[in-house]
């Protein structure tokens, strides 16, 4: 697999699409509706939608630049840039019968038409009319349903020979003729994942096959490709791209090169816009899950000699080191033409960079892991193994080492998120003063070490980092060199220029990656297109004719006036005075076959000697040690909450036994005896702790186990002790587990309604079982408990009579609710729940919720009874008043009216007193939550106050006449201000809190009536 080397940009959001527009800007959509504009290596973010973006691009319309945004289930939207540089939505295209609730997966603009591929077919609209004022209806070009009435989903579309619009669909490859306004299927009854056109050739991707044909060909050419491929793009005559959800394949002519170190592609939906081609810059842009990748057309896809391809290198004062694509390490003595093979590193690792300090090679991989390995020059060193040091949390960009010995050295690791260094104990530490810096390159001159960052300038490395102030305004620094240490004259490479003092040389099209100083007046710019020599003249420099333009160069080293080029075919040595002549460095690898035979004889002899003296003895020790390990293998669970003394003994034993894996003890017998004694002491301590726990339980069964433990303790047998400890551990755990389960069941029963002959029976059993835990066997109690609960939650013959009691209780509560028709609108949810519960034949584990709901509903019926009684008494009070008023109107006899008035006053006084008693009863009957609602939300704490009494009257009848409220309460004053303040200040102002309470208490009668009072 080939490494992709560098991701241009990483994003915090999960990406979903990429597209380009007429300005060559790149637009990237995300899964969360964000849009990113990528132009000249700058990113601008817009929040335009709430869901996945399938495609976004800009178009020029009159003097405005408009943005077309295709998002999931939101249709195709048009956005306009305002003077304040904010985007506003000015149009959403709709389709017939769906409005804007459709998904536009792709769209193209050609001449005066806009074609849109959607989840309901292909649509078009004309762009001739005024874009802003046009009607938001896209004319249908052909039906959204096929003959089998399945939705016709179009994945992507493209233009072929000006007149044809091609679409990849789940039913085949469809071709729409815009001139004839008709369509036909070029490929039928196959799911076409992607359709694309290059020059005059049409490509269609379906399943494991790629179909292609030119305009004058009748038959399709068929070629097998990777399984589950989703996108195929022909980039150039010789280069093509194939993508699936987790594979990215570049094909150069007929050779395939897979790149799979990208973190997945967003292809799990119908959208296919994840790859674009920039023919002008000769680049391929691809988005993975969280990154935008840039791949040049001349990416190194073909290698004449794979074994000699140099992927990285390192140089110190005496030697140069080269690593090939096969992970062969070579060493070259300076001023020599022969490089000697040192060793071969792990070929399963993809190594990105190397450094040599003393006899150790330090290297890092594409997985951002740092290793070191001991090397020995000019000799075969087969026993060396790579030692893992550190895994960096972010991608490693560059490293630096400053010494050739291990007594005084510096090893720096530059990453995308900061700087790390290796201390003298060979531990990686983070340089917190450089946290969050994106480090791109290092450079050393004399004793000073500098490093560059992507967008924060250049720093001088020391105990406290010193920023070079005049470099902070240079964006996207890739590399740099220092010409004059006194004046700090840097030559800086960015992605657009090489900068020296105030002089800027444009290099955007040269694709330069590194700068190499040759002497005071010359430096080289290394590109994968060749070498560019620059000559410094006062405050500027000039470029001379490049060399090796047809050679892919990965790195370079400088020896005096000589330059070593690391290429795809080996190492070339050139002189800075003549860049056209070169000498090849010979990479001499050792003869493996002769070494293999030699070492076979050597190892046979060593093996025979070791076997006679050590091996048989070690086998006996290993068997003994393994038995000891088996004794303590499951102790961590037993001792996790133990005293420090027990833990210390255990970890000492564990450490002593693990040492034998690396180093065998001299006196094996004493070692074994010491460890078995330690294990015995450990078991005794654990057993003493268990006996204490059993004694605290103090049941008849635990006392028996104490007696058994004391008997085994006196035997001195470790294996019997281990069995006893395991038995005690399981019993103690089972005891407390059963105790907790019974306690929880009792809590569940008490939180629900108590039904005679049903839940009260189970509660009685559970309480008796809890008491008998100390007199009966735990296993018997567990069986009883499981059997009771199984009968309780299942509808079978053993508990059918108990279920009759439950059905009866549900029926009684339903009948109670049906009596109070006045409050039907507030008891809908309760009646629905009761109807649902009465129809269930098997309650299962839902029984606990049902019982809890029934308890809540029954409490609400009690509140309902009080409110209904208050309502009826108020109604009777009003009726008495109405009769009196009628008699007063009809009867002119004053004495009769006075007598009737006196009788009515007496009756209503009795009614007022009854109502007053009910008002007090109402607050006492409230559940805790409703009580808190009235006291904490409505701030009514004095239940004898006028506010409290008026509240109950309003709850009983929200239409009660305000004129009779003073009489009902025996108050002879105007209560309208109090009623208004109660409604407005205490109830309506707290509507949000009341609604939240109703959501959490759907059966609350008080909350529902209070909510209705706000309307």
């Amino acid at each position: 697999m080939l490494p992709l080397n560098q991701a241009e940009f990483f994003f915090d959001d999960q990406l979903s699409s990429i597209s380009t527009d007429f300005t060559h800007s790149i637009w990237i959509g995300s899964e969360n509706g964000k849009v990113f504009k990528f132009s000249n290596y700058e990113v601008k973010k817009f929040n335009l939608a709430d869901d996945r973006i399938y495609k976004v691009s800009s178009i020029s319309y009159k003097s405005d630049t408009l943005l077309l945004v295709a998002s999931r289930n939101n249709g195709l939207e048009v956005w306009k840039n305002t003077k304040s540089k904010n985007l506003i939505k000015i149009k959403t295209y709709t389709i017939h019968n769906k409005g804007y609730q459709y998904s536009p997966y792709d769209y193209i603009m050609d001449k005066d038409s806009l074609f849109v591929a959607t989840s309901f077919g292909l649509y078009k609209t004309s762009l001739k009319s005024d874009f802003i004022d046009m009607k938001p209806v896209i004319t249908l070009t052909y039906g959204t349903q096929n003959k089998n009435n399945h939705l016709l989903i179009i994945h992507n579309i493209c233009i072929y020979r000006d007149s044809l619009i091609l679409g990849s669909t789940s039913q085949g490859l469809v071709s729409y003729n815009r001139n004839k306004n008709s369509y036909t299927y070029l490929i039928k009854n196959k799911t076409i994942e992607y359709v694309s056109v290059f020059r005059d050739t049409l490509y269609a991707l379906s399943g494991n096959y790629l179909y292609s044909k030119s305009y004058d060909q009748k038959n399709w050419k068929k070629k097998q490709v990777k399984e589950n491929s989703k996108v195929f793009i022909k980039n150039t005559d010789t280069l093509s791209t194939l993508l699936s959800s987790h594979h990215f394949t570049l094909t150069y002519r007929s050779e395939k090169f897979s790149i799979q170190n990208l973190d997945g592609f967003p292809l799990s939906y119908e959208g296919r816009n994840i790859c674009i081609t920039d023919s002008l810059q000769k680049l391929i842009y691809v988005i993975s899950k969280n990154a935008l990748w840039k791949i040049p057309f001349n990416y190194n896809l073909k290698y004449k000699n794979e074994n000699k391809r140099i992927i990285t290198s390192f140089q110190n004062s005496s030697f140069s080191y080269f690593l090939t694509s096969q992970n062969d390490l070579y060493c070259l003595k300076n001023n020599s033409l022969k490089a000697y093979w040192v060793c071969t590193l792990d070929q399963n690792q993809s190594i990105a960079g190397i450094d040599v300090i003393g006899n150790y090679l330090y290297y890092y991989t594409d997985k951002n892991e740092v290793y070191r390995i001991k090397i020995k020059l000019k000799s075969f060193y087969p026993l060396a193994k790579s030692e893992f040091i550190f895994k960096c949390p972010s991608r490693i960009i560059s490293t630096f080492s400053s010494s050739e010995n291990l007594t005084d050295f510096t090893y720096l690791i530059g990453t995308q998120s900061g700087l790390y260094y290796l201390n003298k104990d060979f531990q990686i530490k983070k340089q917190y003063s450089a946290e969050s810096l994106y480090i791109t390159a290092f450079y050393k001159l004399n004793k000073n070490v500098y490093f560059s960052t992507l967008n924060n300038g250049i720093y001088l490395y020391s105990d406290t980092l010193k920023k070079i102030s005049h470099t902070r305004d240079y964006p996207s620094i890739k590399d740099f060199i220092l010409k004059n240490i006194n004046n700090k004259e840097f030559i800086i490479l960015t992605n657009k220029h090489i900068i020296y003092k105030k002089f800027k040389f444009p290099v955007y099209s040269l694709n330069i990656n590194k700068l190499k100083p040759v002497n005071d007046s010359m430096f080289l710019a290394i590109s994968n297109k060749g070498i560019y020599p620059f000559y410094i003249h006062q405050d500027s420099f000039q470029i001379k004719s490049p060399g090796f333009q047809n050679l892919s160069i990965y790195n370079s080293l400088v020896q005096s006036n000589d330059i070593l080029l690391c290429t795809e075919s080996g190492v070339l040595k050139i002189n800075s005075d003549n860049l056209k002549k070169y000498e090849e460095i010979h990479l001499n690898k050792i003869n493996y076959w002769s070494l293999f035979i030699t070492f076979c004889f050597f190892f046979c002899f060593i093996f025979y000697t070791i076997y006679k003296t050590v091996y048989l003895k070690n086998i006996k020790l290993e068997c003994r040690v393994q038995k000891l390990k088996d004794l303590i293998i499951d102790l961590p669970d037993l001792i996790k909450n133990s005293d420090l003394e027990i833990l210390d003994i255990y970890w000492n034993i564990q450490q002593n036994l693990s040492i034998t894996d690396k180093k065998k003890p001299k006196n094996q017998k004493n070692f074994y005896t010491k460890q078995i004694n330690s294990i015995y002491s450990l078991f005794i301590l654990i057993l003493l702790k268990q006996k204490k726990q059993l004694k605290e339980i103090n049941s008849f069964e635990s006392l028996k186990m104490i007696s058994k433990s004391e008997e085994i303790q006196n035997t001195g047998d470790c294996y019997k002790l281990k069995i006893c400890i395991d038995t005690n551990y399981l019993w103690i755990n089972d005891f407390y587990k059963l105790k907790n389960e019974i306690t929880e069941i009792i809590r569940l029963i008490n939180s629900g309604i108590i039904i005679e002959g049903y839940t009260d029976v189970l509660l009685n059993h559970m309480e008796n079982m809890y008491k008998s835990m100390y007199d009966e066997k735990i296993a018997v109690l567990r069986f009883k408990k499981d059997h009771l609960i199984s009968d309780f939650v299942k509808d079978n013959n053993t508990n059918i009579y108990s279920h009759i009691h439950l059905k009866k209780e549900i029926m009684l509560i339903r009948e109670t609710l049906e009596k109070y028709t006045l409050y039907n609108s507030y008891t809908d949810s309760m009646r629905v729940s009761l109807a649902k519960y009465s129809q269930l034949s098997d309650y299962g584990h839902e029984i606990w919720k049902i019982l809890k709901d029934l308890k809540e509903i029954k409490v609400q019926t009690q509140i309902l009874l009080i409110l209904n009684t208050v309502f009826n008494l108020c109604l009777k009070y009003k009726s008495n008043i109405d009769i009196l008023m009628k008699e007063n109107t009809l009867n002119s006899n004053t004495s009769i009216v006075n007598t009737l008035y006196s009788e009515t006053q007496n009756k209503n006084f009795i009614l007022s007193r009854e109502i007053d008693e009910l008002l007090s009863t109402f607050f006492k009957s409230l559940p805790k939550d409703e009580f808190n609602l009235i006291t904490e939300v409505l701030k009514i704490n004095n239940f004898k106050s006028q506010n409290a009494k008026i509240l109950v009257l309003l709850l009983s009848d929200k239409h009660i006449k305000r004129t009779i409220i003073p009489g009902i309460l025996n108050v002879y004053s105007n209560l309208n201000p109090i009623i208004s303040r109660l409604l407005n200040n205490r109830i309506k102002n707290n509507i949000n809190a009341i609604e939240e309470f109703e959501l959490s208490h759907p059966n609350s009668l008080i909350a529902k009536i209070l909510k209705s009072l706000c309307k």
Side-chain angles (χ1 to χ4, degrees), residues 544-604:
K544 300 296 182 181
S545 58
F548 300 95
Q549 285 184 288
N550 296 322
L551 194 63
S552 294
I553 301 170
Y554 302 98
N555 206 341
S556 65
L557 303 172
V558 177
Q559 296 179 351
S560 183
N561 282 338
D562 293 329
I563 303 163
L564 301 178
L565 301 180
C566 304
T567 72
E568 62 183 16
S569 57
V571 183
L572 302 180
K573 183 177 182 180
I574 62 174
N575 191 277
S576 58
D577 297 330
N578 189 349
L579 297 180
K580 294 184 179 180
K581 292 185 178 181
Y582 67 90
E583 295 178 284
E584 185 175 357
I585 301 297
H586 299 284
L587 305 179
N588 298 323
K589 193 169 183 180
I590 197 166
N591 189 331
Y592 281 108
W593 181 247
S594 61
L595 278 175
F596 175 74
I597 295 175
T598 303
F599 276 103
C600 280
F601 283 109
F602 174 74
F603 280 119
C604 286

Side-chain angles (χ1 to χ4, degrees), residues 592-803:
Y592 281 108
W593 181 247
S594 61
L595 278 175
F596 175 74
I597 295 175
T598 303
F599 276 103
C600 280
F601 283 109
F602 174 74
F603 280 119
C604 286
F605 174 75
I606 295 297
F607 178 78
Y608 177 73
T609 306
I610 293 174
Y611 181 78
K612 284 184 65 178
T613 56
V614 180
Y615 184 70
L616 292 176
K617 189 176 181 180
N618 286 343
I619 287 179
K620 188 175 181 180
L621 175 65
E622 288 173 2
C623 291
R624 287 181 169 183
V625 169
Q626 187 58 46
K627 289 182 179 179
L628 296 179
K629 288 181 178 179
D630 292 341
L631 275 174
I632 64 171
I633 191 170
D634 56 354
L635 283 185
D637 290 335
L638 288 168
I639 64 173
K640 59 185 176 183
N641 296 320
S642 298
D643 301 331
L644 289 176
E645 183 182 4
I646 294 175
L647 295 172
D648 287 341
I649 295 174
Y650 171 76
W651 289 116
N652 286 334
I653 296 170
Q654 191 76 280
Q655 187 176 7
N656 290 334
L657 294 179
S658 62
I659 289 174
T660 60
D661 297 335
K662 300 177 181 179
K663 185 179 179 180
K664 306 302 178 186
K666 293 181 179 179
N667 192 328
Q668 297 181 5
K669 185 176 181 181
N670 289 344
F671 173 81
Y672 179 77
T673 303
K674 184 178 179 181
Q675 300 311 313
I676 197 69
N677 289 335
S678 297
I679 292 175
Y680 178 78
S681 301
L682 177 63
F683 284 172
I684 292 298
L685 289 173
I686 295 172
L687 196 61
L688 289 173
K689 181 184 176 184
Q690 289 182 341
K691 285 165 62 179
K692 185 178 179 181
Q693 291 175 318
L694 292 169
K695 192 173 182 180
E696 289 175 354
I697 294 172
N698 197 26
S699 70
F700 90 97
E701 200 171 2
S702 67
L703 294 176
K704 284 184 178 180
M705 297 184 77
I706 292 173
S707 177
K708 182 70 174 177
S709 299
E710 290 174 348
E711 181 182 338
I712 293 176
Q713 181 179 341
N714 296 327
T715 62
D717 190 329
C718 278
Y719 294 96
K720 289 183 179 180
L721 278 172
K722 179 64 168 54
I723 295 171
C724 181
I725 288 170
D726 290 342
T727 304
N728 292 345
Y729 174 75
L730 293 174
W731 188 90
I732 293 170
N733 277 359
D734 200 25
F735 176 85
Y736 285 111
K737 185 179 179 182
L738 180 62
K739 187 176 181 180
N740 292 335
E741 288 174 1
I742 294 174
T743 304
E744 176 63 14
I745 293 169
I746 292 172
R747 187 194 67 79
L748 289 172
I749 296 172
N750 287 326
S751 66
I753 191 170
I754 301 298
I755 301 174
E756 185 179 355
Y758 187 37
T759 56
D760 59 342
V761 175
L762 180 63
L763 180 61
N764 185 47
H765 282 307
M766 289 295 114
E767 289 174 345
N768 291 336
M769 193 178 296
Y770 186 86
K771 295 175 184 176
S772 61
M773 286 188 67
Y774 301 91
D775 302 322
E776 291 189 42
K777 288 187 176 182
I778 295 301
V780 174
L781 288 175
R782 174 164 290 283
F783 175 79
K784 288 181 179 179
K785 189 272 296 183
D786 293 342
H787 185 68
L788 283 170
I789 297 301
S790 176
D791 286 346
F792 186 73
V793 300
K794 291 182 181 177
D795 190 11
N796 50 37
N797 293 329
T798 60
N799 71 340
I800 189 162
Y801 297 108
S802 299
H803 279 67

Side-chain angles (χ1 to χ4, degrees), residues 171-232:
Q171 303 300 317
L173 177 62
V174 67
S175 172
Y176 169 68
N177 192 316
R178 61 196 299 181
N179 295 334
K180 298 180 181 179
N181 196 26
S182 62
Y183 72 94
T184 183
Y185 280 94
L186 303 180
I187 299 176
K188 291 184 177 181
N189 301 324
K190 292 182 183 296
T191 298
I192 305 299
E193 300 289 351
Y194 195 81
V195 59
S196 60
V197 173
F198 182 76
R199 302 194 191 283
D200 202 39
T201 305
L202 173 62
Y203 297 92
L205 190 62
S206 176
N208 300 340
Y209 293 96
L210 176 66
Y211 297 86
S212 62
K213 83 180 189 75
S214 59
Y215 184 76
D216 20 357
Q217 288 178 334
K218 293 184 178 180
N219 298 322
W220 291 88
K221 293 181 181 179
K222 185 178 178 182
K223 184 178 181 181
Q224 191 167 2
V225 295
K226 275 185 179 290
E227 190 175 358
N228 297 325
S229 296
K230 298 288 187 182
V231 174
F232 175 83

